[in-house]
Amino acid sequence: MTTPIVDFVRRYAQSGTARLHMPGHKGQSLLGCEPWDITEIRGADELYEAEGIIAQSEANATRLFGTAHTYYSTEGSSQCIRAMLCLAMQGAPRTGKRPVLLAARNAHKALLYAAALLDFDIRWLWPAPEDTGALCSCPVTVQALSAALEELAGQGGTPFGVYLTSPDYLGGMQDIAALSAVCDAHGVPLLVDNAHGAYLRFLPGGSRHPIDLGAAACCDSGHKTLPVLTGGAYLHLGPKAPVQEESTVRSALALFGSTSPSYLILQSLDACNRLLSTDYPARLQECCDRLAALRARLNALAAAQGTALPLALDGPAREPMKLTLDAAALGLTGQALADHLRQNGMECEYADPRYLVLMFTPENPAEDMARLEAALAELCARGIPPADPPAEHREAFCALARQAEPRLTVRQAVFAPQETIPAGSALGRVCALPTVSCPPAIPIVVSGEVIGPAALEFFAAYGVETVSVVKPEKF
């Protein structure tokens, strides 16, 4: 496996060439990485007009991921999401109506920003009542997707795409193969936010990557689960992608990206190709096996304390590299459990009123799992206080779906004059920019929707203290 970007930059750093170009550090070390931080000089290729070393490296990634074409992003999956939606709109038939996207409700706020910039409407897919309660999850069944597409067709409309988040922040995975078949039957491309699942292509037991399961296009955040610098991401196009012309795809990425892409991130993506082509699948399998064994031990530990709840969530519909703990099994909130781990030298990925998410990769030493297990065993040894599980907000979530009344388009709300007010005073106001923490960056109320009573309950549960609303005299 070649690494053309890495090789070029190393040669340039060692050449002694006078750097009479950007960036301003001129290769002199302040952090230590500056010698390898360059700009688009002659020979370094151009990310959005790639014909040289970047094109060669992307070709390597395309072969590794088995896609029709894989493109690099140095600005995370957010850039890829916007470009993917832009391309889906370009590839859709012209109907003279406002473009509509059918999307699962647990979408990252990057989707809303894309809707504001591209000016399309979103028809939301909500979870079934029995699957509600967690902001991060929105299981979509074949029946629900089919019904939603048929309902739109009955109204004389066809969405330009179906948009799913899989894996979600808690590690749940959609049945991409089955949902892709539904999309194919309706002539609609399936677009997947696979930001947390770049590694799924390399599972030794068989790929679970969206492109291999039939998605038209997806984004991967390489930096979330692969050894890639923060910001390194991929836009993957499958054979079903509605737009394949390379110049059009690069133009869509350029529309939402800086003209100064980070060559440190590009080198990281390039170097990752070599790692993925060696023994990475075997290392990945070893890590998955150790995590599976850890889940079993943690659940046995909790059961020994007399709790009826499993501590570590598990099952075939879950991604193997996330360890999601149900803190209710220990009589705690997710935030309280995160504090306990922090006191024992561990930092989690995400904690909410009930769940705690820990992300592992083959780069984690075995000591990390041992430290976690010891901390949880010590917590159990204190005795689990009897407590009812935290409220799952099922009724409020169902009410949130009923109360999701769009008053403005996403674009109108995002660009309207707005003000920030206490969340408790927002009842009846129209949401402007979604006010959510990152992670998980999943809006409780969408831009343009009226804020109802159920939203106030979720604001309180998730610690949202202020919200941005449209000034009432402006619409």
Side-chain angles (χ1 to χ4, degrees), residues 252-310:
L253 285 162
L255 182 62
F256 303 104
S258 170
T259 55
S260 299
S262 166
Y263 268 79
L264 292 175
I265 296 174
L266 287 172
Q267 289 171 76
S268 179
L269 289 163
D270 188 43
C272 186
N273 289 338
R274 175 168 287 171
L275 180 142
L276 295 175
S277 70
T278 56
D279 65 342
Y280 180 77
R283 294 178 59 226
L284 181 61
Q285 184 64 59
E286 180 184 2
C287 186
C288 290
D289 290 345
R290 287 191 286 119
L291 274 172
L294 178 60
R295 287 189 193 91
R297 292 197 302 272
L298 293 181
N299 285 335
L301 184 67
Q305 302 299 311
T307 177
L309 295 171

Side-chain angles (χ1 to χ4, degrees), residues 4 12 18 39 58 85 107 162 251 253 329 359 400-401:
Y12 184 71
T39 189
E58 287 181 339
L85 292 164
V162 170
S251 294
L253 285 162
M359 294 177 66
L400 191 66

Side-chain angles (χ1 to χ4, degrees), residues 138-441:
C138 184
V140 177
T141 65
V142 165
Q143 294 78 10
L145 179 58
S146 298
L149 287 167
E150 289 165 7
E151 180 181 356
L152 278 171
Q155 297 168 355
T158 300
F160 68 85
V162 170
Y163 183 94
L164 302 175
T165 301
S166 180
D168 64 34
Y169 227 108
L170 298 183
M173 296 184 69
Q174 306 279 9
D175 188 347
I176 297 297
L179 297 171
S180 172
V182 173
C183 290
D184 291 346
H186 287 80
V188 177
L190 177 59
L191 315 172
V192 181
D193 176 354
N194 185 57
H196 285 247
Y199 74 94
L200 294 171
R201 162 70 179 175
F202 305 98
L203 291 172
S207 172
R208 297 176 69 186
H209 193 270
I211 297 298
D212 290 319
L213 297 177
C218 76
C219 68
D220 294 358
S221 288
H223 68 90
K224 284 183 169 64
T225 58
L226 299 178
V228 171
L229 292 179
T230 297
Y234 310 94
L235 173 60
H236 299 296
L237 301 185
K240 301 175 187 175
V243 175
Q244 297 281 356
E245 185 178 2
E246 183 174 345
S247 61
T248 304
V249 178
R250 293 199 186 277
S251 294
L253 285 162
L255 182 62
F256 303 104
S258 170
T259 55
S260 299
S262 166
Y263 268 79
L264 292 175
I265 296 174
L266 287 172
Q267 289 171 76
S268 179
L269 289 163
D270 188 43
C272 186
N273 289 338
R274 175 168 287 171
L275 180 142
L276 295 175
S277 70
T278 56
D279 65 342
Y280 180 77
R283 294 178 59 226
L284 181 61
Q285 184 64 59
E286 180 184 2
C287 186
C288 290
D289 290 345
R290 287 191 286 119
L291 274 172
L294 178 60
R295 287 189 193 91
R297 292 197 302 272
L298 293 181
N299 285 335
L301 184 67
Q305 302 299 311
T307 177
L309 295 171
L311 175 56
L313 302 189
D314 204 357
R318 304 197 59 78
E319 63 155 308
M321 295 291 281
K322 271 198 180 80
L323 180 60
T324 302
L325 303 180
D326 186 350
L330 303 176
L332 299 171
T333 65
Q335 294 98 329
L337 182 55
D339 286 339
H340 174 74
L341 297 184
R342 201 169 286 120
Q343 292 164 11
N344 284 271
M346 289 165 279
E347 187 62 39
C348 73
E349 168 63 26
Y350 169 69
D352 69 15
R354 179 161 184 172
Y355 298 105
L356 176 86
V357 176
L358 304 164
M359 294 177 66
F360 287 86
T361 78
E363 312 311 316
N364 281 101
E367 291 78 10
D368 287 353
M369 290 188 194
R371 180 184 295 189
L372 171 66
E373 189 170 3
L376 292 172
E378 187 268 336
L379 191 61
C380 288
R382 299 179 188 176
I384 297 174
D388 294 329
E392 293 186 322
H393 307 284
R394 291 188 188 276
E395 292 183 6
F397 203 95
C398 292
L400 191 66
R402 294 193 303 269
Q403 296 167 10
E405 175 195 348
R407 187 72 58 82
L408 301 173
T409 68
V410 174
R411 181 181 178 86
Q412 288 171 335
V414 166
F415 290 109
Q418 50 197 258
E419 59 186 349
T420 300
I421 64 174
S425 303
L427 185 65
R429 300 294 296 273
V430 175
C431 178
L433 287 174
T435 307
V436 287
S437 61
C438 185

